[in-house]
Amino acid sequence: MEKEFWLERWSQGETAFHQEHVNPYLGYYYGELGPPPENRAACRVFMPLCGKSRDLYWLQQSGYHVIGVEFSEVAVKQFFAEQQLAYSKHHREHDVIYRAERLEILQADFFELQADDIGDITDIFDRASLIAYPAEMRRSYVNKITGLQKPGTRTLLITLTYPENEMKGPPFSVNDDEVIRLYNDNFRIDKLAVKNIIEDEPRFKQRGLTSLTETAYKLTKIR
């Protein structure tokens, strides 16, 4: 979707896509299976299209350095207000950067980001970015985020798969074959978990879905 779509959603308070709880995959792979707390500050975790996600706060509170990008000023300001975090605000040529301890949110257009804007990142958490784009925009998204990474960067990617005739996205359905097609040239792809979540997501059942599968992948940039 174009950025005007998301700006309108935030301005109208139509943010059913926002999750009030921390993503369980993040808590598991960066908590239980993550590095020891004393080593986490060396990890710079990038969250594209971050909205006001509580995942940002969880990462920061868990000792990681986290960098988010979000085009909506409404979303950024709501994040800091809801998490009761003090921040400084700095205007740059192409963005506004909000800073707190081990936390930066860039109010910017994701597609205008340069690698220097976010620095050397070690990790990416993509819970709702790839699946936010319709099929015709996904290649552009993957090309852009690939260019922001160095070899060795790790991505925790979460996708949803459902019968596309039953619901119009976003979020959009992205299956295994498409993940491979989009990422196989530059990444090693490891499937971490697959879960049927339709009974846990009544809002999607209300939209007409009869099945909904959530898949977690680890992507490692190799070139």
Side-chain angles (χ1 to χ4, degrees):
M1 296 296 193
E2 299 292 345
K3 58 190 178 184
E4 289 77 13
F5 170 85
W6 296 108
L7 285 175
E8 183 175 358
R9 295 286 291 272
W10 280 106
S11 67
Q12 298 296 323
E14 298 173 355
T15 56
F17 51 84
H18 171 70
Q19 291 188 345
E20 294 294 340
H21 57 276
V22 173
N23 185 274
Y25 294 109
L26 181 68
Y28 181 63
Y29 290 108
Y30 282 82
E32 290 184 45
L33 296 185
E38 61 270 19
N39 295 339
R40 292 177 179 177
C43 297
R44 292 175 54 86
V45 186
F46 177 54
M47 285 186 57
L49 282 65
C50 64
K52 60 174 183 176
S53 173
R54 286 186 57 83
D55 298 331
L56 293 161
Y57 183 71
W58 183 91
L59 284 163
Q60 185 243 22
Q61 292 292 298
S62 297
Y64 294 96
H65 192 120
V66 58
I67 306 99
V69 63
E70 170 55 50
F71 193 69
S72 169
E73 181 183 22
V74 172
V76 177
K77 289 187 172 180
Q78 285 184 5
F79 169 80
F80 283 101
E82 291 175 8
Q83 306 309 323
Q84 299 182 346
L85 284 176
Y87 63 89
S88 59
K89 181 178 178 182
H90 309 273
H91 291 264
R92 302 192 297 191
E93 184 177 359
H94 301 297
D95 61 25
V96 180
I97 183 168
Y98 295 73
R99 285 197 179 103
E101 183 181 6
R102 294 190 313 278
L103 171 65
E104 302 170 18
I105 300 181
L106 281 60
Q107 184 196 335
D109 184 337
F110 168 77
F111 287 100
E112 294 181 3
L113 279 183
Q114 302 300 316
D116 288 346
D117 294 330
I118 59 175
D120 289 339
I121 54 175
T122 61
D123 296 82
I124 296 170
F125 180 49
D126 182 344
R127 180 192 70 79
S129 300
L130 180 66
I131 61 175
Y133 290 109
E136 64 271 17
M137 295 184 68
R138 285 179 210 138
R139 172 55 68 184
S140 295
Y141 167 77
V142 171
N143 288 345
K144 182 63 181 181
I145 203 162
T146 298
L148 297 174
Q149 307 174 50
K150 293 182 177 180
T153 302
R154 303 166 298 242
T155 298
L156 179 58
L157 171 68
I158 313 297
T159 65
L160 297 175
T161 307
Y162 57 81
E164 294 184 68
N165 63 311
E166 294 182 351
M167 186 181 85
K168 180 180 178 181
F172 294 95
S173 178
V174 178
N175 61 27
D176 279 349
D177 289 343
E178 186 166 9
V179 170
I180 293 169
R181 179 179 63 82
L182 290 169
Y183 290 98
N184 197 52
D185 288 347
N186 296 292
F187 296 84
R188 186 179 75 240
I189 303 170
D190 298 301
K191 188 183 293 186
L192 302 177
V194 180
K195 184 180 180 182
N196 182 352
I197 62 169
I198 189 63
E199 297 303 326
D200 302 325
E201 296 288 349
R203 64 190 178 99
F204 288 114
K205 292 185 76 172
Q206 292 169 5
R207 291 175 67 178
L209 287 190
T210 57
S211 67
L212 180 63
T213 301
E214 186 175 62
T215 306
Y217 302 87
K218 178 183 178 182
L219 312 176
T220 306
K221 192 167 191 288
I222 57 177
R223 63 174 65 90

